[in-house]
Amino acid sequence: ADLDDPGGRKALGRALRRRAPEVGEAVVESWRRRFISRGVSLNVLSGVVTYTSTLGTELVGRYLEVGEGATPEEAQRLAERSTRVVVNQFEMSESVKNYLTWRDQTLRVVREEAGRLGVAREVVAETSAIVRASADVSMIRMVKEFDVQRRDLQRTLEQERAKLTHLALHDPLTGLANRMLLLDRLSHAIAGTARRTEQVGVLYLDLDGFKGINDTLGHQAGDRLLVAVADRLQGLVRPSDTVARLGGDEFVIVCNDLLAGEQALGAFAERIRAGVAAHRADVEDIPVSVSIGGTIAVLGDEPEHVLARADAEMYVAKQRLSREGRAEATLRRQADDAAALADSMRTDEQPDA
């Protein structure tokens, strides 16, 4: 027996280091047999598998020979070039098989070299325990990496789901609630009137002269105006209210918890009208005005029917505004005609020079 190597520990370590490349090739070959039949190419991964399997066996042999474990750099390389690559490419069950293949191939070499070198039984048992522990640590590290990626994927999916939900329920231009979300909230608000005395009002808004703005300044200017009005409306309502855009230049506000019914809704409509009119949108300094129709929703109302009533009231308001505008224009024209006639008469009455 070697006095410097009782039990053959160092000799076994040297033998393992010498045969480490053989273990790496055996692991790769096992992978090939499992995956080629499935049409999976290992050209890219075979180098990684060979490197990590060889290094794993090399580290066990070095520990036996000189008592040195893996350096931080080697541990990092094993993590980056095995665990993360394997996790990204294979299912967990297949990854476990890969680590077990390395374990079994390394134990095979341990048994063969121990028999050839006459290594003491306790050294063989210790070495086998080290190999199994190394495989266990690698699998635990792999499972942790799977968990990290699963949590990251879950977080990403939740974020994407939230984005999709937001897109499905909100107007893409203004970020306001769309018709689907509006109807849902209005339905809940109507159902809630059965449990409280406050009422629910609905205001239907339409921008005055919006088509002319689009035709004159272009659709981009029109879009900027819509966004500015949407922001203004959100600043005028209460947190419990809902502002929605139904498309084009039509907006709807659901006013919850009205204490005085029609009177409160009318006052709220005037506040909205005045607030929008006082706001100068940053689009060619355009003055903005809205026509507003309102209605009170009662228990049993269908949300669509409530919107239709408010829309009809808005149309009446717009017609009234149109008539008032025409009357005002007529009065201005008559005043201009009268002034022109007076000027003409004064000119006729002046004596000749």
Side-chain angles (χ1 to χ4, degrees), residues 143-251:
V143 171
K144 287 182 177 179
E145 185 67 25
F146 263 110
D147 286 341
V148 168
Q149 294 203 15
R150 180 182 59 80
R151 285 194 295 269
D152 291 344
L153 178 60
Q154 178 98 24
R155 192 179 305 111
T156 300
L157 289 175
E158 289 173 355
Q159 292 170 349
E160 291 301 317
R161 189 180 298 116
K163 290 179 183 177
L164 290 174
T165 300
H166 187 274
L167 289 174
L169 298 176
H170 292 80
D171 173 51
L173 176 63
T174 63
L176 297 178
N178 64 11
R179 177 180 286 272
M180 183 184 298
L181 181 56
L182 170 68
L183 293 175
D184 180 71
R185 291 187 178 176
L186 180 54
S187 177
H188 281 84
I190 293 171
T193 60
R195 301 186 298 274
R196 52 184 188 271
T197 58
E198 294 86 358
Q199 293 178 295
V200 175
V202 174
L203 297 178
Y204 205 110
L205 292 71
D206 184 270
L207 297 186
D208 299 324
F210 181 71
K211 183 177 184 302
I213 295 171
N214 259 347
D215 293 343
T216 303
L217 301 177
H219 289 286
Q220 289 185 346
D223 286 349
R224 292 198 302 272
L225 176 59
L226 291 172
V227 171
V229 170
D231 291 342
R232 183 59 175 165
L233 290 175
Q234 287 185 299
L236 292 169
V237 302
R238 303 163 300 174
S240 60
D241 299 329
T242 295
V243 182
R245 179 184 175 225
L246 299 189
D249 59 335
E250 295 181 332
F251 298 85

Side-chain angles (χ1 to χ4, degrees), residues 82-124:
S82 63
T83 303
R84 292 171 190 169
V85 173
V86 168
V87 165
N88 286 332
Q89 297 291 331
F90 298 100
E91 296 179 358
M92 185 180 292
S93 60
E94 290 294 345
S95 301
V96 169
K97 289 178 184 178
N98 297 329
Y99 285 115
L100 294 179
T101 299
W102 172 82
R103 182 200 65 185
D104 294 343
Q105 289 296 330
T106 302
L107 289 176
R108 174 182 63 81
V109 172
V110 168
R111 289 193 297 270
E112 291 176 358
E113 292 299 325
R116 183 179 68 83
L117 297 169
V119 176
R121 184 176 300 174
E122 59 270 19
V123 173
V124 175

Side-chain angles (χ1 to χ4, degrees), residues 3-57:
L3 297 179
D4 293 331
D5 185 21
R9 180 188 180 94
K10 293 181 181 180
L12 181 58
R14 285 192 294 271
L16 281 177
R17 296 179 72 176
R18 186 178 64 254
R19 296 184 63 178
E22 175 189 330
V23 173
E25 289 299 327
V27 174
V28 170
E29 183 58 31
S30 174
W31 276 34
R32 288 198 180 99
R33 285 198 302 270
R34 289 206 308 273
F35 285 102
I36 283 179
S37 62
R38 307 183 198 181
V40 178
S41 173
L42 291 180
N43 291 337
V44 175
L45 291 177
S46 60
V48 173
V49 175
T50 301
Y51 171 82
T52 55
S53 299
T54 301
L55 179 58
T57 307

